Short mmCIF file of all heavy atoms in Angstrom, two decimals:
data_model
loop_
_atom_site.label_atom_id
_atom_site.label_comp_id
_atom_site.label_asym_id
_atom_site.label_seq_id
_atom_site.Cartn_x
_atom_site.Cartn_y
_atom_site.Cartn_z
N SER A 1132 11.52 -11.99 -3.39
CA SER A 1132 11.10 -12.63 -2.15
C SER A 1132 10.56 -14.03 -2.38
O SER A 1132 10.00 -14.33 -3.45
CB SER A 1132 10.02 -11.79 -1.47
OG SER A 1132 10.50 -10.51 -1.14
N THR A 1133 10.70 -14.89 -1.37
CA THR A 1133 10.09 -16.21 -1.41
C THR A 1133 8.67 -16.12 -0.85
O THR A 1133 8.30 -15.15 -0.19
CB THR A 1133 10.91 -17.21 -0.59
OG1 THR A 1133 11.03 -16.73 0.76
CG2 THR A 1133 12.28 -17.41 -1.20
N TYR A 1134 7.91 -17.16 -1.10
CA TYR A 1134 6.49 -17.16 -0.70
C TYR A 1134 6.35 -17.25 0.82
O TYR A 1134 7.08 -17.98 1.49
CB TYR A 1134 5.77 -18.34 -1.36
CG TYR A 1134 4.35 -18.52 -0.89
CD1 TYR A 1134 3.35 -17.62 -1.27
CD2 TYR A 1134 3.99 -19.59 -0.07
CE1 TYR A 1134 2.04 -17.78 -0.85
CE2 TYR A 1134 2.68 -19.76 0.35
CZ TYR A 1134 1.72 -18.84 -0.03
OH TYR A 1134 0.42 -19.01 0.39
N MET A 1135 5.37 -16.51 1.36
CA MET A 1135 5.00 -16.58 2.76
C MET A 1135 3.52 -16.92 2.85
O MET A 1135 2.69 -16.27 2.23
CB MET A 1135 5.28 -15.25 3.46
CG MET A 1135 4.97 -15.26 4.96
SD MET A 1135 5.21 -13.61 5.73
CE MET A 1135 6.95 -13.33 5.39
N ASP A 1136 3.18 -17.97 3.61
CA ASP A 1136 1.78 -18.38 3.70
C ASP A 1136 0.97 -17.33 4.46
O ASP A 1136 1.53 -16.53 5.22
CB ASP A 1136 1.66 -19.74 4.38
CG ASP A 1136 2.02 -19.69 5.85
OD1 ASP A 1136 1.14 -19.38 6.67
OD2 ASP A 1136 3.21 -19.93 6.18
N PRO A 1137 -0.36 -17.29 4.27
CA PRO A 1137 -1.16 -16.19 4.84
C PRO A 1137 -1.15 -16.13 6.36
O PRO A 1137 -1.13 -15.05 6.93
CB PRO A 1137 -2.57 -16.45 4.29
CG PRO A 1137 -2.57 -17.87 3.85
CD PRO A 1137 -1.18 -18.17 3.41
N ASP A 1138 -1.16 -17.28 7.03
CA ASP A 1138 -1.19 -17.25 8.50
C ASP A 1138 0.13 -16.73 9.06
O ASP A 1138 0.15 -15.99 10.05
CB ASP A 1138 -1.50 -18.64 9.05
CG ASP A 1138 -2.91 -19.09 8.70
OD1 ASP A 1138 -3.80 -18.22 8.61
OD2 ASP A 1138 -3.13 -20.30 8.50
N THR A 1139 1.24 -17.13 8.44
CA THR A 1139 2.54 -16.59 8.86
C THR A 1139 2.59 -15.09 8.59
O THR A 1139 3.09 -14.31 9.42
CB THR A 1139 3.68 -17.31 8.12
OG1 THR A 1139 3.63 -18.70 8.42
CG2 THR A 1139 5.03 -16.75 8.53
N TRP A 1140 2.10 -14.68 7.41
CA TRP A 1140 2.05 -13.25 7.09
C TRP A 1140 1.26 -12.50 8.17
O TRP A 1140 1.70 -11.44 8.63
CB TRP A 1140 1.39 -13.05 5.73
CG TRP A 1140 1.38 -11.62 5.26
CD1 TRP A 1140 2.29 -10.99 4.47
CD2 TRP A 1140 0.39 -10.62 5.60
NE1 TRP A 1140 1.94 -9.68 4.28
CE2 TRP A 1140 0.78 -9.42 4.96
CE3 TRP A 1140 -0.77 -10.63 6.37
CZ2 TRP A 1140 0.04 -8.25 5.07
CZ3 TRP A 1140 -1.50 -9.46 6.48
CH2 TRP A 1140 -1.11 -8.29 5.84
N PHE A 1141 0.12 -13.03 8.58
CA PHE A 1141 -0.72 -12.39 9.59
C PHE A 1141 0.04 -12.22 10.90
O PHE A 1141 -0.01 -11.16 11.54
CB PHE A 1141 -1.98 -13.22 9.80
CG PHE A 1141 -2.99 -12.59 10.71
CD1 PHE A 1141 -3.98 -11.76 10.21
CD2 PHE A 1141 -2.97 -12.83 12.08
CE1 PHE A 1141 -4.92 -11.17 11.05
CE2 PHE A 1141 -3.89 -12.25 12.93
CZ PHE A 1141 -4.87 -11.42 12.41
N GLU A 1142 0.76 -13.26 11.32
CA GLU A 1142 1.49 -13.21 12.59
C GLU A 1142 2.64 -12.21 12.55
O GLU A 1142 2.97 -11.59 13.57
CB GLU A 1142 2.04 -14.60 12.92
CG GLU A 1142 0.96 -15.63 13.24
CD GLU A 1142 1.53 -17.03 13.39
OE1 GLU A 1142 2.77 -17.17 13.23
OE2 GLU A 1142 0.75 -17.96 13.67
N ARG A 1143 3.25 -12.02 11.39
CA ARG A 1143 4.45 -11.18 11.30
C ARG A 1143 4.16 -9.72 11.00
O ARG A 1143 5.08 -8.90 10.98
CB ARG A 1143 5.39 -11.74 10.22
CG ARG A 1143 5.96 -13.10 10.58
CD ARG A 1143 6.98 -13.57 9.54
NE ARG A 1143 7.51 -14.89 9.87
CZ ARG A 1143 8.40 -15.54 9.13
NH1 ARG A 1143 8.87 -14.98 8.00
NH2 ARG A 1143 8.84 -16.72 9.49
N HIS A 1144 2.90 -9.40 10.74
CA HIS A 1144 2.56 -8.02 10.41
C HIS A 1144 1.53 -7.50 11.41
O HIS A 1144 0.34 -7.81 11.30
CB HIS A 1144 2.04 -7.92 8.98
CG HIS A 1144 3.07 -8.27 7.95
ND1 HIS A 1144 3.30 -9.57 7.55
CD2 HIS A 1144 3.95 -7.49 7.26
CE1 HIS A 1144 4.26 -9.58 6.65
NE2 HIS A 1144 4.67 -8.33 6.46
N PRO A 1145 1.97 -6.74 12.40
CA PRO A 1145 1.05 -6.26 13.43
C PRO A 1145 0.05 -5.26 12.87
O PRO A 1145 0.28 -4.59 11.85
CB PRO A 1145 1.99 -5.60 14.44
CG PRO A 1145 3.20 -5.22 13.66
CD PRO A 1145 3.35 -6.29 12.60
N ALA A 1146 -1.08 -5.16 13.56
CA ALA A 1146 -2.13 -4.24 13.14
C ALA A 1146 -1.73 -2.80 13.42
O ALA A 1146 -1.08 -2.49 14.42
CB ALA A 1146 -3.44 -4.57 13.86
N LYS A 1147 -2.11 -1.92 12.50
CA LYS A 1147 -1.93 -0.49 12.66
C LYS A 1147 -3.31 0.16 12.76
O LYS A 1147 -4.22 -0.20 12.02
CB LYS A 1147 -1.19 0.10 11.47
CG LYS A 1147 0.24 -0.41 11.28
CD LYS A 1147 0.89 0.30 10.09
CE LYS A 1147 2.33 -0.13 9.91
NZ LYS A 1147 2.99 0.61 8.80
N GLU A 1148 -3.46 1.10 13.66
CA GLU A 1148 -4.73 1.78 13.80
C GLU A 1148 -4.94 2.77 12.65
O GLU A 1148 -3.99 3.38 12.16
CB GLU A 1148 -4.80 2.52 15.14
CG GLU A 1148 -4.76 1.61 16.35
CD GLU A 1148 -5.90 0.61 16.38
OE1 GLU A 1148 -7.05 1.01 16.07
OE2 GLU A 1148 -5.65 -0.57 16.69
N GLY A 1149 -6.19 2.89 12.23
CA GLY A 1149 -6.52 3.89 11.22
C GLY A 1149 -6.90 3.29 9.89
O GLY A 1149 -7.17 2.09 9.76
N SER A 1150 -6.93 4.14 8.88
CA SER A 1150 -7.38 3.79 7.54
C SER A 1150 -6.21 3.40 6.66
O SER A 1150 -5.11 3.98 6.76
CB SER A 1150 -8.11 4.99 6.91
OG SER A 1150 -8.27 4.84 5.52
N TRP A 1151 -6.47 2.46 5.74
CA TRP A 1151 -5.44 2.07 4.77
C TRP A 1151 -5.39 3.02 3.58
O TRP A 1151 -4.45 2.96 2.78
CB TRP A 1151 -5.67 0.64 4.28
CG TRP A 1151 -6.98 0.42 3.58
CD1 TRP A 1151 -8.15 0.00 4.15
CD2 TRP A 1151 -7.26 0.60 2.18
NE1 TRP A 1151 -9.15 -0.08 3.20
CE2 TRP A 1151 -8.63 0.28 1.98
CE3 TRP A 1151 -6.50 1.00 1.09
CZ2 TRP A 1151 -9.24 0.35 0.73
CZ3 TRP A 1151 -7.10 1.07 -0.17
CH2 TRP A 1151 -8.46 0.75 -0.33
N TRP A 1152 -6.37 3.91 3.42
CA TRP A 1152 -6.40 4.80 2.26
C TRP A 1152 -5.13 5.63 2.12
O TRP A 1152 -4.59 5.74 1.00
CB TRP A 1152 -7.63 5.73 2.34
CG TRP A 1152 -8.93 5.05 2.07
CD1 TRP A 1152 -9.18 3.70 2.00
CD2 TRP A 1152 -10.19 5.70 1.85
NE1 TRP A 1152 -10.51 3.47 1.77
CE2 TRP A 1152 -11.16 4.67 1.67
CE3 TRP A 1152 -10.61 7.02 1.82
CZ2 TRP A 1152 -12.50 4.95 1.44
CZ3 TRP A 1152 -11.94 7.31 1.59
CH2 TRP A 1152 -12.88 6.28 1.40
N PRO A 1153 -4.61 6.28 3.19
CA PRO A 1153 -3.37 7.05 3.02
C PRO A 1153 -2.19 6.20 2.57
O PRO A 1153 -1.33 6.68 1.82
CB PRO A 1153 -3.14 7.66 4.41
CG PRO A 1153 -4.50 7.72 5.03
CD PRO A 1153 -5.20 6.49 4.53
N GLU A 1154 -2.14 4.93 3.03
CA GLU A 1154 -1.06 4.04 2.58
C GLU A 1154 -1.14 3.84 1.06
O GLU A 1154 -0.12 3.86 0.36
CB GLU A 1154 -1.17 2.69 3.29
CG GLU A 1154 -0.93 2.72 4.78
CD GLU A 1154 0.55 2.57 5.13
OE1 GLU A 1154 1.39 2.64 4.21
OE2 GLU A 1154 0.84 2.38 6.33
N TRP A 1155 -2.36 3.63 0.56
CA TRP A 1155 -2.53 3.41 -0.87
C TRP A 1155 -2.19 4.68 -1.65
O TRP A 1155 -1.51 4.64 -2.68
CB TRP A 1155 -3.95 2.96 -1.18
CG TRP A 1155 -4.20 2.61 -2.61
CD1 TRP A 1155 -3.32 1.99 -3.47
CD2 TRP A 1155 -5.37 2.87 -3.38
NE1 TRP A 1155 -3.89 1.82 -4.71
CE2 TRP A 1155 -5.15 2.36 -4.68
CE3 TRP A 1155 -6.60 3.45 -3.09
CZ2 TRP A 1155 -6.12 2.44 -5.68
CZ3 TRP A 1155 -7.56 3.53 -4.08
CH2 TRP A 1155 -7.31 3.02 -5.36
N SER A 1156 -2.67 5.82 -1.16
CA SER A 1156 -2.39 7.08 -1.84
C SER A 1156 -0.89 7.34 -1.92
O SER A 1156 -0.37 7.75 -2.97
CB SER A 1156 -3.09 8.23 -1.10
OG SER A 1156 -2.78 9.47 -1.68
N ALA A 1157 -0.19 7.07 -0.82
CA ALA A 1157 1.27 7.27 -0.82
C ALA A 1157 1.95 6.30 -1.78
O ALA A 1157 2.92 6.65 -2.46
CB ALA A 1157 1.81 7.10 0.59
N TRP A 1158 1.45 5.06 -1.83
CA TRP A 1158 2.01 4.06 -2.73
C TRP A 1158 1.80 4.48 -4.19
O TRP A 1158 2.72 4.38 -5.01
CB TRP A 1158 1.36 2.72 -2.45
CG TRP A 1158 1.88 1.56 -3.23
CD1 TRP A 1158 2.95 0.75 -2.93
CD2 TRP A 1158 1.34 1.04 -4.46
NE1 TRP A 1158 3.11 -0.23 -3.87
CE2 TRP A 1158 2.14 -0.08 -4.83
CE3 TRP A 1158 0.28 1.39 -5.27
CZ2 TRP A 1158 1.90 -0.82 -5.98
CZ3 TRP A 1158 0.03 0.66 -6.42
CH2 TRP A 1158 0.83 -0.44 -6.77
N LEU A 1159 0.60 4.96 -4.51
CA LEU A 1159 0.33 5.43 -5.87
C LEU A 1159 1.23 6.61 -6.23
O LEU A 1159 1.76 6.70 -7.35
CB LEU A 1159 -1.13 5.83 -6.00
CG LEU A 1159 -2.17 4.70 -6.01
CD1 LEU A 1159 -3.58 5.27 -5.88
CD2 LEU A 1159 -2.05 3.86 -7.27
N ALA A 1160 1.42 7.53 -5.27
CA ALA A 1160 2.27 8.68 -5.53
C ALA A 1160 3.71 8.24 -5.78
O ALA A 1160 4.41 8.78 -6.66
CB ALA A 1160 2.21 9.65 -4.35
N GLU A 1161 4.15 7.23 -5.02
CA GLU A 1161 5.52 6.71 -5.19
C GLU A 1161 5.70 6.08 -6.57
O GLU A 1161 6.78 6.15 -7.17
CB GLU A 1161 5.80 5.67 -4.10
CG GLU A 1161 7.17 5.02 -4.19
CD GLU A 1161 7.31 3.87 -3.22
OE1 GLU A 1161 6.62 3.88 -2.18
OE2 GLU A 1161 8.11 2.95 -3.50
N LYS A 1162 4.63 5.44 -7.09
CA LYS A 1162 4.71 4.79 -8.41
C LYS A 1162 4.41 5.76 -9.55
O LYS A 1162 4.39 5.35 -10.71
CB LYS A 1162 3.72 3.62 -8.47
CG LYS A 1162 3.90 2.58 -7.37
CD LYS A 1162 5.30 1.99 -7.33
CE LYS A 1162 5.45 1.00 -6.19
NZ LYS A 1162 6.87 0.54 -6.06
N SER A 1163 4.18 7.02 -9.23
CA SER A 1163 3.86 8.03 -10.24
C SER A 1163 5.11 8.85 -10.56
O SER A 1163 6.12 8.79 -9.85
CB SER A 1163 2.76 8.96 -9.73
OG SER A 1163 1.57 8.25 -9.46
N GLY A 1164 5.00 9.63 -11.63
CA GLY A 1164 6.07 10.55 -11.96
C GLY A 1164 6.27 11.59 -10.88
O GLY A 1164 5.34 11.95 -10.15
N LYS A 1165 7.49 12.09 -10.74
CA LYS A 1165 7.82 12.99 -9.63
C LYS A 1165 7.27 14.39 -9.82
O LYS A 1165 6.99 15.09 -8.85
CB LYS A 1165 9.34 13.05 -9.46
CG LYS A 1165 9.98 11.70 -9.18
CD LYS A 1165 9.33 10.98 -8.01
CE LYS A 1165 9.96 9.62 -7.77
NZ LYS A 1165 9.23 8.86 -6.71
N GLU A 1166 7.10 14.82 -11.04
CA GLU A 1166 6.66 16.19 -11.30
C GLU A 1166 5.16 16.25 -11.53
O GLU A 1166 4.64 15.64 -12.47
CB GLU A 1166 7.39 16.76 -12.51
CG GLU A 1166 8.89 16.87 -12.34
CD GLU A 1166 9.28 17.86 -11.26
OE1 GLU A 1166 8.52 18.86 -11.09
OE2 GLU A 1166 10.31 17.66 -10.60
N LYS A 1167 4.47 17.01 -10.66
CA LYS A 1167 3.05 17.25 -10.89
C LYS A 1167 2.89 18.35 -11.94
O LYS A 1167 3.80 19.14 -12.19
CB LYS A 1167 2.36 17.67 -9.60
CG LYS A 1167 2.22 16.55 -8.56
CD LYS A 1167 1.39 17.04 -7.39
CE LYS A 1167 1.15 15.94 -6.38
NZ LYS A 1167 0.30 16.39 -5.24
N GLY A 1168 1.70 18.36 -12.56
CA GLY A 1168 1.43 19.36 -13.57
C GLY A 1168 -0.02 19.76 -13.56
O GLY A 1168 -0.82 19.26 -12.76
N PRO A 1169 -0.41 20.65 -14.44
CA PRO A 1169 -1.83 21.06 -14.50
C PRO A 1169 -2.70 19.88 -14.90
O PRO A 1169 -2.29 19.02 -15.67
CB PRO A 1169 -1.84 22.16 -15.56
CG PRO A 1169 -0.60 21.91 -16.37
CD PRO A 1169 0.41 21.34 -15.44
N PRO A 1170 -3.92 19.82 -14.39
CA PRO A 1170 -4.80 18.69 -14.70
C PRO A 1170 -5.22 18.70 -16.16
O PRO A 1170 -5.32 19.77 -16.79
CB PRO A 1170 -6.00 18.90 -13.77
CG PRO A 1170 -5.98 20.34 -13.41
CD PRO A 1170 -4.55 20.76 -13.43
N PRO A 1171 -5.48 17.53 -16.73
CA PRO A 1171 -5.96 17.48 -18.12
C PRO A 1171 -7.39 17.99 -18.21
O PRO A 1171 -8.11 18.06 -17.21
CB PRO A 1171 -5.87 15.98 -18.45
CG PRO A 1171 -6.03 15.29 -17.13
CD PRO A 1171 -5.36 16.19 -16.13
N SER A 1172 -7.80 18.32 -19.39
CA SER A 1172 -9.18 18.76 -19.61
C SER A 1172 -10.12 17.58 -19.44
O SER A 1172 -9.72 16.41 -19.50
CB SER A 1172 -9.33 19.35 -21.01
OG SER A 1172 -9.03 18.34 -21.99
N LEU A 1173 -11.40 17.89 -19.20
CA LEU A 1173 -12.41 16.83 -19.11
C LEU A 1173 -12.75 16.39 -20.53
O LEU A 1173 -13.29 17.15 -21.32
CB LEU A 1173 -13.65 17.34 -18.39
CG LEU A 1173 -13.49 17.65 -16.90
CD1 LEU A 1173 -14.79 18.16 -16.31
CD2 LEU A 1173 -13.02 16.43 -16.14
#
């Protein structure tokens, strides 16, 4: 992608109601391995 200045970015991305936490969690899951497994020991 080419650079987009912050004000243009703001105008082109409408607000969504709610928390950004689920978006981040989903993004992290997407960047993680597909197979879950047992948790490691402490």
Side-chain angles (χ1 to χ4, degrees):
S1132 299
T1133 57
Y1134 174 71
M1135 183 184 299
D1136 69 86
D1138 293 328
T1139 300
W1140 184 94
F1141 186 90
E1142 293 173 0
R1143 294 185 181 179
H1144 295 86
K1147 297 183 177 183
E1148 295 301 318
S1150 165
W1151 61 267
W1152 288 12
E1154 294 273 10
W1155 185 37
S1156 177
W1158 184 86
L1159 288 169
E1161 178 188 334
K1162 304 303 178 186
S1163 299
K1165 301 307 178 186
E1166 297 295 328
K1167 290 186 176 182
S1172 62
L1173 292 180

